[in-house]
Amino acid sequence: MQSLLVITNSDAGTSDEENLALALGVLRQEASVEVARTSNPGELDGVLHRAGGRTVVVAGGDGSMHAVITALHKRHELADTTLGLLPMGTGNDFARGNDIPLEIEDAARLVLSGEARPVDLIIDETGNIVVNNVHVGVGAQASRRGARWKSRLGSVGVGKVNLGKLGYPIGAALSAFHPPEWRLRVELDGKVVNDVDTPVLMVAIGNGGNVGGGTELNPDADTEDGLLDVMVSRAVEPLAKLGYVLRLRKGEHDQRDDVLSLRGTSVKVSGDEFWLSADGEISGPERSRSWRLERAAYSMILPA
């Protein structure tokens, strides 16, 4: 019998508790399950201390995945841990990008029957990790604005329809009215692919492809391929910005002539002061930041 440690947010709302109950009903048919509720990094660290080699199942969204993987990385236990995911967040971008079902009972069945496979991770020069995607420029600006709208709308909904999911699209729309441009040097595996004399609208570095609840920012990114997908948008003229946004909504922006789509294992961005959004967490301002891919950093239960 499988032994699972399910980690959830102790501040979860009623709908999350209902979803968790449905998932646990499936899991407990075939596995031994302990549920641990945490509300801060200290509690999370204490829970992971007693994991004892069990499969760690994250019941939450992208932020919860980021928190658990960060804690395991700091404990130097990530490489020896197998994780599962019950997607209960607003955007669930990591789940989308890895074909993990968004229906909670289907996700629970996957935890029981899926295949544990090695998954890549992004690590920056300060030791911080990125599970899914990091982007700078107008996308981070959209996330900063979208976060405010997400918090305003997050509690508004009917049934399974939660208006908090509109946060990123609203932020992107607001940013599109007055999107600035940045003069940034982008280096991929030590080679300059964009210099400061060519302004950019945004730079996205993807381990996974989706952000903001399903926007395919790096459409071809794959968490198992050992490569970072890097997108550099040079769409800074007014009509180009509009065209870029319209194609972005369809996941076709990478087909534009003013968009670079590249792959590599390390990226450095420097130049104008910029904010960044890493797994939805906003930080900055920065003048320089670099990231590298750590291949097969941990195991994740995924569809066979």
Side-chain angles (χ1 to χ4, degrees):
M1 177 177 283
Q2 288 180 262
S3 185
L4 309 176
L5 174 62
V6 177
I7 299 178
T8 187
N9 190 335
S10 59
D11 298 324
T14 302
S15 62
D16 284 340
E17 287 296 332
E18 292 172 352
N19 279 331
L20 180 60
L22 291 173
L24 292 176
V26 173
L27 295 176
R28 284 175 169 151
Q29 293 177 19
E30 299 183 28
S32 170
V33 181
E34 177 190 352
V35 179
R37 290 174 167 81
T38 67
S39 61
N40 59 63
E43 290 181 355
L44 178 57
D45 189 67
V47 167
L48 292 173
H49 181 70
R50 64 174 193 267
R54 288 178 288 177
T55 296
V56 175
V57 181
V58 180
D62 298 322
S64 298
M65 276 291 294
H66 180 96
V68 170
I69 291 176
T70 293
L72 287 167
H73 183 257
K74 288 181 177 179
R75 292 176 59 84
H76 304 288
E77 296 174 355
L78 183 58
D80 298 321
T81 302
T82 297
L83 287 100
L85 176 61
L86 300 173
M88 291 166 43
T90 302
N92 294 317
D93 289 301
F94 184 84
R96 293 173 191 272
N98 287 279
D99 297 323
I100 295 172
L102 300 185
E103 288 294 329
I104 198 69
E105 290 174 291
D106 291 338
R109 293 185 188 98
L110 174 64
V111 169
L112 296 173
S113 63
E115 178 184 0
R117 299 207 300 269
V119 174
D120 303 331
L121 188 68
I122 302 174
I123 304 177
D124 72 14
E125 78 270 31
T126 68
N128 291 323
I129 63 100
V130 179
V131 176
N132 186 54
N133 191 288
V134 56
H135 50 95
V136 309
V138 74
Q141 179 172 303
S143 292
R144 290 179 69 195
R145 294 180 176 181
R148 293 195 292 268
W149 280 97
K150 178 181 174 181
S151 64
R152 294 171 185 170
L153 297 172
S155 61
V156 181
V158 178
K160 295 184 179 180
V161 180
N162 188 317
L163 296 186
K165 295 181 180 181
L166 297 177
Y168 187 86
I170 289 174
L174 291 173
S175 298
F177 283 107
H178 300 288
E181 61 187 50
W182 285 262
R183 294 190 176 274
L184 298 174
R185 172 175 291 180
V186 182
E187 300 170 59
L188 179 64
D189 293 340
K191 178 183 177 181
V192 177
V193 295
N194 191 90
D195 216 337
V196 293
D197 57 349
T198 303
V200 302
L201 187 66
M202 70 179 299
V203 180
I205 302 157
N207 184 36
N210 294 271
V211 302
T215 299
E216 294 184 340
L217 194 54
N218 296 91
D220 297 322
D222 184 342
T223 57
E224 301 177 71
D225 67 359
L227 292 170
L228 297 171
D229 279 50
V230 181
M231 186 276 294
V232 181
S233 172
R234 296 168 169 170
V236 296
E237 298 300 324
L239 287 178
K241 291 173 183 175
L242 177 60
Y244 173 79
V245 169
L246 292 175
R247 298 292 288 273
L248 177 62
R249 289 173 59 88
K250 299 179 181 179
E252 299 175 350
H253 55 291
D254 57 337
Q255 299 174 19
R256 291 177 55 88
D257 292 338
D258 53 10
V259 172
L260 299 179
S261 295
L262 307 164
R263 284 180 172 164
T265 58
S266 66
V267 183
K268 181 178 181 179
V269 177
S270 58
D272 284 348
E273 193 173 82
F274 59 86
W275 290 78
L276 60 93
S277 174
D279 290 342
E281 294 295 321
I282 312 300
S283 63
E286 303 284 351
R287 286 280 188 175
S288 177
R289 184 60 69 89
S290 60
W291 299 266
R292 64 177 177 84
L293 187 79
E294 183 169 318
R295 187 164 192 173
Y298 62 100
S299 294
M300 187 81 201
I301 299 177
L302 298 173

